[in-house]
Amino acid sequence: MLSLNVRGIRSLEKRKALFIWLQKHNADIIFLQETYSTKDIENAWKYQWKGPIFFGHGSNCSCGVLILVRESLEFDLKSKLTDEYGRYILLNATVQGSNYIMGNIYAPNKAREQCSFFEKLQEKLDSFLLITKIIIGGDFNVVNDPDLDCCGGTPKE
């Protein structure tokens, strides 16, 4: 598995280079955040990626999550759940005979929005309690210690 914040892949050149790089790294399942995908580009991207591809659309200049599956992986989608802002996608799938919930998350970067985002996401995940294997990846936009894990912005005095 691999997770990567791509900061927009609407450009054909960037997307092509990324897909080639991903193929070389042999990951079976790939979580991408900040794809800037919209409904109108789905067919082109599906043509470029050889394998199942699942979208959680944002806008053409923000958000968007994507799950790519290697073509040769034994993968059977049962259901998909996304939010309207392109902040998460949850797949209920059977992978090589085992049931999984796979979540790709691009959390808000504003602290006041994060609590409600994670509470709503937890409610969605609670509905899958019967499935024991849950894999979550993505960009959580959270740090443990701002003094150690952040740079830039207004320095503390």
Side-chain angles (χ1 to χ4, degrees), residues 8-9 11 20 24 27 30 39 44 51 54 57 62 64 99 110 133 143 149:
I9 53 171
S11 156
I20 289 169
K24 287 180 183 177
I30 301 156
K39 185 79 175 155
F54 304 97
H57 296 300
S62 71
N99 294 330
K110 295 178 181 160
K133 297 172 187 145
V143 296
D149 301 329

Short mmCIF file of all heavy atoms in Angstrom, two decimals, residues 8-9 11 20 24 27 30 39 44 51 54 57 62 64 99 110 133 143 149:
data_model
loop_
_atom_site.label_atom_id
_atom_site.label_comp_id
_atom_site.label_asym_id
_atom_site.label_seq_id
_atom_site.Cartn_x
_atom_site.Cartn_y
_atom_site.Cartn_z
N GLY A 8 -2.70 18.01 -6.63
CA GLY A 8 -3.27 18.25 -7.95
C GLY A 8 -2.62 17.43 -9.04
O GLY A 8 -1.41 17.47 -9.21
N ILE A 9 -3.46 16.65 -9.75
CA ILE A 9 -2.95 15.89 -10.90
C ILE A 9 -3.87 16.07 -12.11
O ILE A 9 -4.05 15.16 -12.90
CB ILE A 9 -2.74 14.39 -10.58
CG1 ILE A 9 -4.00 13.74 -9.99
CG2 ILE A 9 -1.53 14.18 -9.69
CD1 ILE A 9 -3.92 12.24 -9.85
N SER A 11 -3.14 18.07 -14.53
CA SER A 11 -2.23 18.19 -15.66
C SER A 11 -1.90 16.80 -16.20
O SER A 11 -1.48 15.92 -15.45
CB SER A 11 -0.95 18.89 -15.22
OG SER A 11 0.12 18.56 -16.06
N ILE A 20 3.19 6.44 -13.94
CA ILE A 20 4.37 5.63 -14.29
C ILE A 20 5.19 5.34 -13.03
O ILE A 20 5.61 4.21 -12.79
CB ILE A 20 5.22 6.34 -15.37
CG1 ILE A 20 4.48 6.32 -16.71
CG2 ILE A 20 6.61 5.70 -15.50
CD1 ILE A 20 5.09 7.23 -17.78
N LYS A 24 5.93 1.58 -11.14
CA LYS A 24 7.28 1.09 -10.83
C LYS A 24 7.42 0.69 -9.37
O LYS A 24 8.24 -0.15 -9.03
CB LYS A 24 8.32 2.16 -11.16
CG LYS A 24 8.53 2.35 -12.65
CD LYS A 24 9.57 3.42 -12.90
CE LYS A 24 9.73 3.65 -14.39
NZ LYS A 24 10.68 4.74 -14.67
N ALA A 27 2.96 -1.04 -5.74
CA ALA A 27 1.96 -1.06 -4.68
C ALA A 27 0.67 -1.66 -5.24
O ALA A 27 0.31 -1.40 -6.40
CB ALA A 27 1.71 0.34 -4.14
N ILE A 30 -3.30 2.11 -3.76
CA ILE A 30 -2.69 3.43 -3.63
C ILE A 30 -3.75 4.44 -3.24
O ILE A 30 -4.80 4.53 -3.89
CB ILE A 30 -2.03 3.84 -4.96
CG1 ILE A 30 -0.97 2.81 -5.34
CG2 ILE A 30 -1.44 5.24 -4.86
CD1 ILE A 30 -0.67 2.75 -6.82
N LYS A 39 -16.06 15.10 -11.75
CA LYS A 39 -16.76 14.05 -12.50
C LYS A 39 -16.37 14.03 -13.99
O LYS A 39 -16.25 12.96 -14.58
CB LYS A 39 -18.27 14.27 -12.34
CG LYS A 39 -19.12 13.20 -12.95
CD LYS A 39 -19.19 12.00 -12.07
CE LYS A 39 -20.14 10.98 -12.64
NZ LYS A 39 -19.86 9.64 -12.22
N ALA A 44 -11.14 9.82 -18.68
CA ALA A 44 -9.75 9.99 -19.11
C ALA A 44 -8.80 9.34 -18.10
O ALA A 44 -7.85 8.64 -18.48
CB ALA A 44 -9.42 11.47 -19.28
N GLY A 51 -6.47 -0.58 -14.21
CA GLY A 51 -6.94 -1.23 -13.00
C GLY A 51 -8.11 -0.43 -12.44
O GLY A 51 -8.41 0.66 -12.92
N PHE A 54 -11.16 4.54 -8.00
CA PHE A 54 -12.33 4.99 -7.27
C PHE A 54 -12.13 6.43 -6.81
O PHE A 54 -11.13 6.75 -6.18
CB PHE A 54 -12.59 4.08 -6.06
CG PHE A 54 -12.73 2.64 -6.46
CD1 PHE A 54 -11.65 1.78 -6.36
CD2 PHE A 54 -13.93 2.16 -6.96
CE1 PHE A 54 -11.77 0.45 -6.74
CE2 PHE A 54 -14.05 0.83 -7.35
CZ PHE A 54 -12.97 -0.03 -7.24
N HIS A 57 -14.63 13.01 -5.36
CA HIS A 57 -14.32 14.28 -6.03
C HIS A 57 -14.36 15.48 -5.10
O HIS A 57 -15.21 15.57 -4.22
CB HIS A 57 -15.29 14.53 -7.18
CG HIS A 57 -15.19 13.53 -8.28
ND1 HIS A 57 -14.04 13.33 -8.99
CD2 HIS A 57 -16.11 12.67 -8.79
CE1 HIS A 57 -14.24 12.39 -9.90
NE2 HIS A 57 -15.48 11.96 -9.79
N SER A 62 -9.19 22.07 -5.53
CA SER A 62 -9.01 21.68 -4.12
C SER A 62 -9.59 20.30 -3.85
O SER A 62 -10.44 19.82 -4.58
CB SER A 62 -9.67 22.70 -3.19
OG SER A 62 -11.06 22.62 -3.27
N GLY A 64 -10.32 16.30 -3.11
CA GLY A 64 -10.36 15.12 -3.97
C GLY A 64 -9.47 14.02 -3.44
O GLY A 64 -8.32 14.25 -3.09
N ASN A 99 -12.30 -9.67 3.67
CA ASN A 99 -13.09 -8.44 3.65
C ASN A 99 -12.34 -7.30 4.34
O ASN A 99 -11.75 -7.49 5.40
CB ASN A 99 -14.43 -8.66 4.35
CG ASN A 99 -15.31 -9.62 3.60
OD1 ASN A 99 -15.23 -9.72 2.38
ND2 ASN A 99 -16.14 -10.36 4.31
N LYS A 110 -7.83 23.16 9.09
CA LYS A 110 -8.23 24.10 10.14
C LYS A 110 -8.73 23.30 11.34
O LYS A 110 -9.63 22.48 11.22
CB LYS A 110 -9.31 25.04 9.65
CG LYS A 110 -8.81 25.96 8.53
CD LYS A 110 -9.90 26.85 8.02
CE LYS A 110 -9.33 27.72 6.90
NZ LYS A 110 -10.35 28.27 6.05
N LYS A 133 -11.45 -5.87 9.50
CA LYS A 133 -10.21 -5.32 8.96
C LYS A 133 -10.48 -3.95 8.34
O LYS A 133 -11.17 -3.84 7.34
CB LYS A 133 -9.62 -6.26 7.92
CG LYS A 133 -9.23 -7.60 8.51
CD LYS A 133 -8.83 -8.57 7.44
CE LYS A 133 -8.62 -9.93 8.06
NZ LYS A 133 -9.03 -11.00 7.19
N VAL A 143 -0.84 17.33 13.66
CA VAL A 143 0.50 17.13 14.21
C VAL A 143 0.40 16.89 15.71
O VAL A 143 -0.50 17.39 16.37
CB VAL A 143 1.43 18.32 13.91
CG1 VAL A 143 1.65 18.50 12.44
CG2 VAL A 143 0.88 19.61 14.51
N ASP A 149 6.80 19.61 14.97
CA ASP A 149 6.32 19.08 13.71
C ASP A 149 5.90 20.12 12.68
O ASP A 149 5.49 19.76 11.58
CB ASP A 149 5.11 18.16 13.96
CG ASP A 149 5.47 16.99 14.86
OD1 ASP A 149 6.63 16.57 14.82
OD2 ASP A 149 4.59 16.52 15.59
#
